[in-house]
């Protein structure tokens, strides 16, 4: 973990307060904690709220809005209107998202992937999905490269189980497919000074030199399609808001390399099952892994923190607070797609009609069903996953990137 250096940040030439590290919350690519104030993040990160006007515009293309848009789970963006201008004038865009394979995948990770799948289906867009095994190896004290690569494979199964169109999805392992990214990464890296990287990411004297270069690797897929086809292709990145610092580097360098700046759409974090904070793999009781056995998942749900009162009598009288309750948020993020039914749950919770134990018992089978489906698809993904990784040995691809054999 690299603790962000606030002084360096405020001194940065960007003048951004990238890292809001105060008593309330910390949001960096390597740490998310505290109670997250999303409106404050929009201000601090200088992004735009996804407002009703933009939602209406999106709706023209997607039909009924995706549940994660209707419920403000995707809540912020950069340049989405610009992207739609291009799309409406006939220019297709590509999608880019990713995952740092540092451990098992949990439900919080899957949230933006499901939305990305929706975008892929709706806009028939190609998806580049980056697995940053380099980043996780470099940042972790106890992950060997071999373990990290095993996790790349393992996490890729979860990615495919999320339903992407395998014919239009390219997985990228930074370590195994570095040849394909490296040319773009060095071009990016040349335009990012140490002082900028330090300001944006809080690097320190003790940071290893691998991680200093890494932001260029995460920027590279933004421009990969453009580099392959030899003309500017718009790129849309659906991701949690903690990844935003990377896109600043990418957006800053894009015009210098004659690419479009990548567009972002940012989502919130699925809360953990404990009190406050996002789901975190380092506290396994508070998160449901996609590979959890039904009994384990059920037990985690039944022992979760809730917004309930201390006694049944009190709850019947005063009602519970759904907004601080992970059980309610699970329904809202994923498990109750019907808005009418969600509103009814909310009402019954607030009125004291619905007790927490009852609510947990009704959520558990929905979660178990999701896991069973996902685990089945995960098994099936084993047959196709190797072919979904970008083929760095493909001569045509390398030639398109200007990397033909000497
Ligand atoms: N750095 C991200 C992580 O640690 C992984 C990642 C790479 C990513 N490229 C991305 C996430 C693009 C979202 C969008 O999880």
């Amino acid at each position: 973990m690299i603790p962000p250096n606030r002084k360096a940040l405020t001194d940065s030439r960007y003048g951004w307060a990238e890292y809001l590290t105060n008593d309330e919350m910390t949001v960096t690519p390597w740490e998310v904690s505290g109670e997250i104030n999303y409106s404050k993040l929009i201000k601090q990160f200088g992004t735009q709220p996804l407002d009703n006007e933009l939602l209406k515009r999106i709706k023209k293309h997607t039909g009924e809005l995706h549940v994660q848009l209707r419920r403000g789970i995707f809540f912020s963006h950069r340049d989405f209107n610009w992207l739609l201008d291009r799309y409406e004038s006939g220019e297709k865009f590509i999608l880019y998202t990713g995952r740092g394979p540092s451990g098992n995948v949990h439900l919080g990770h899957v949230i933006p992937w499901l939305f990305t799948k929706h975008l892929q289906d709706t806009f028939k867009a190609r998806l580049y999905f980056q697995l940053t095994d380099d980043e996780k190896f470099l940042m972790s004290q106890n992950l060997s490269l071999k373990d990290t690569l095993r996790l790349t494979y393992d996490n890729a199964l979860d990615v495919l189980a999320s339903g992407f169109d395998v014919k239009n999805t390219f997985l990228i392992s930074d370590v195994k497919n570095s040849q394909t990214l490296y040319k773009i990464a060095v071009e990016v890296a040349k335009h990012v000074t140490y002082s900028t990287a330090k300001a944006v990411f809080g690097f320190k004297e003790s940071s290893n030199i691998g991680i200093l270069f890494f932001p260029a690797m995460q920027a590279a897929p933004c421009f990969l399609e453009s580099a392959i086809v030899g003309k500017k292709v718009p790129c849309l990145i659906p991701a949690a808001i903690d990844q935003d610092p990377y896109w600043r580097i990418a957006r800053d360098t894009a015009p210098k390399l004659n690419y479009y700046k990548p567009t972002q759409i940012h989502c919130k974090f699925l809360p953990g099952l404990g009190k406050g904070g996002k789901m975190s793999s380092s506290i396994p009781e508070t998160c449901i892994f996609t590979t959890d056995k039904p009994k384990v998942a059920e037990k985690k749900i039944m022992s979760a923190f809730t917004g309930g009162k201390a006694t049944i009598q009190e709850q019947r009288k005063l009602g519970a607070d759904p907004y601080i309750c992970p059980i309610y948020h699970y329904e809202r993020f994923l498990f109750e797609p019907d808005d009418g039914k969600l509103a009814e749950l909310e009402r019954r919770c607030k009125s004291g009609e619905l007790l927490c134990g009852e609510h947990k018992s009704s959520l558990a089978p929905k979660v178990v069903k999701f896991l069973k489906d996902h685990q089945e698809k995960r098994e099936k993904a084993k047959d196709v996953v190797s072919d979904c990784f970008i083929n760095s040995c493909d001569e045509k691809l390398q030639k398109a990137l200007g990397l033909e054999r000497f």
Side-chain angles (χ1 to χ4, degrees), residues 6 19-26 33 35 40 44:
R6 291 199 79 203
Y19 290 99
L20 192 57
T21 304
N22 54 32
D23 299 344
E24 244 174 72
M25 60 174 170
T26 302
S33 60
E35 197 177 312
K40 214 166 176 178
Q44 299 278 343

Side-chain angles (χ1 to χ4, degrees), residues 46-337:
T47 65
Q48 301 298 313
L50 257 178
D51 55 21
N52 282 338
E53 211 173 305
L54 180 52
L55 289 177
K56 256 196 230 148
R57 193 169 174 200
I58 297 174
K59 200 171 172 182
K60 277 205 302 219
H61 295 285
T62 61
E64 198 202 354
L65 283 174
H66 187 267
V67 60
Q68 294 188 28
L69 288 174
R70 294 201 305 271
R71 296 184 185 170
I73 290 161
F74 273 84
F75 71 106
S76 148
H77 74 102
R78 281 182 209 276
D79 288 352
F80 207 98
N81 274 305
W82 171 86
L83 185 90
L84 290 177
D85 290 345
R86 308 246 55 108
Y87 184 76
E88 286 167 11
S89 66
E91 239 176 296
K92 287 200 71 157
F93 59 86
I94 62 117
L95 292 162
Y96 162 40
T97 193
R99 151 93 185 136
S102 54
N104 292 336
V105 167
H106 60 58
L107 293 181
H109 300 129
V110 176
I111 296 293
W113 303 351
L114 296 174
F115 181 64
T116 306
K117 174 197 153 41
H118 157 77
L119 293 176
Q120 181 179 53
D121 292 346
T122 311
F123 292 98
K124 305 276 171 287
R126 167 160 300 171
L127 167 67
Y128 288 103
F129 194 107
Q130 181 180 41
L131 290 132
T132 53
D133 27 31
D134 49 352
E135 176 190 25
K136 295 299 145 171
F137 169 66
L138 290 164
M139 286 299 289
S140 160
Q141 293 304 324
N142 38 28
L143 266 184
S144 70
L145 198 47
K146 195 170 164 212
D147 287 343
T148 323
L149 286 171
R150 190 186 48 74
L151 286 167
T152 293
Y153 171 83
D154 177 90
N155 288 187
L157 299 176
D158 287 293
V159 172
L160 295 186
S162 305
F164 294 115
D165 170 7
V166 291
K167 287 196 268 343
N168 214 7
T169 297
F170 292 91
L171 305 176
I172 306 167
S173 150
D174 283 0
V175 172
K176 289 203 176 198
N177 306 127
S178 52
Q179 187 183 345
T180 298
L181 293 189
Y182 193 66
K183 186 184 169 211
I184 305 170
V186 284
E187 289 186 274
V188 170
K190 194 167 180 176
H191 294 284
V192 184
T193 63
Y194 173 60
S195 136
T196 299
K198 186 172 151 193
V200 174
F201 295 97
F203 293 138
K204 303 207 316 187
E205 293 289 310
S206 57
S207 303
N208 69 61
I209 60 171
I211 202 68
L212 302 187
F213 179 74
F214 172 74
M217 290 297 277
Q218 183 151 329
C222 300
F223 311 128
L224 184 56
E225 181 77 1
S226 304
I228 293 172
V229 302
K231 70 173 183 37
K232 294 186 198 185
V233 182
C235 165
L236 169 62
I237 309 172
I241 185 118
D242 61 330
Q243 296 299 305
D244 194 63
Y246 287 113
W247 318 131
R248 297 202 192 117
I249 298 280
R251 288 169 62 83
D252 222 28
T253 46
K256 297 176 187 151
L257 302 177
N258 202 25
Y259 297 125
Y260 287 138
K261 290 184 181 190
T263 300
Q264 285 88 58
I265 179 162
H266 303 111
C267 71
K268 299 181 180 173
F269 304 101
L270 178 68
L273 291 170
K275 190 175 173 199
K278 74 159 192 171
M279 232 182 210
S280 166
S281 318
S282 51
I283 328 172
E285 320 77 85
T286 66
C287 57
I288 294 177
F289 293 103
T290 56
T291 44
D292 275 348
K293 297 236 158 52
K295 282 265 167 301
V296 174
E298 249 167 47
K299 194 165 161 223
K300 287 181 184 174
I301 291 169
M302 296 313 289
S303 357
F305 168 79
T306 69
K309 296 285 185 295
T311 65
I312 294 183
Q313 289 80 351
E314 215 184 315
Q315 185 148 338
R316 290 274 188 234
K317 208 163 98 203
L318 301 169
D321 181 354
Y323 311 115
I324 59 159
C325 178
I327 301 300
Y328 168 75
H329 284 297
Y330 271 49
E331 304 274 17
R332 190 170 82 87
F333 273 72
L334 188 58
F335 294 106
E336 186 44 85

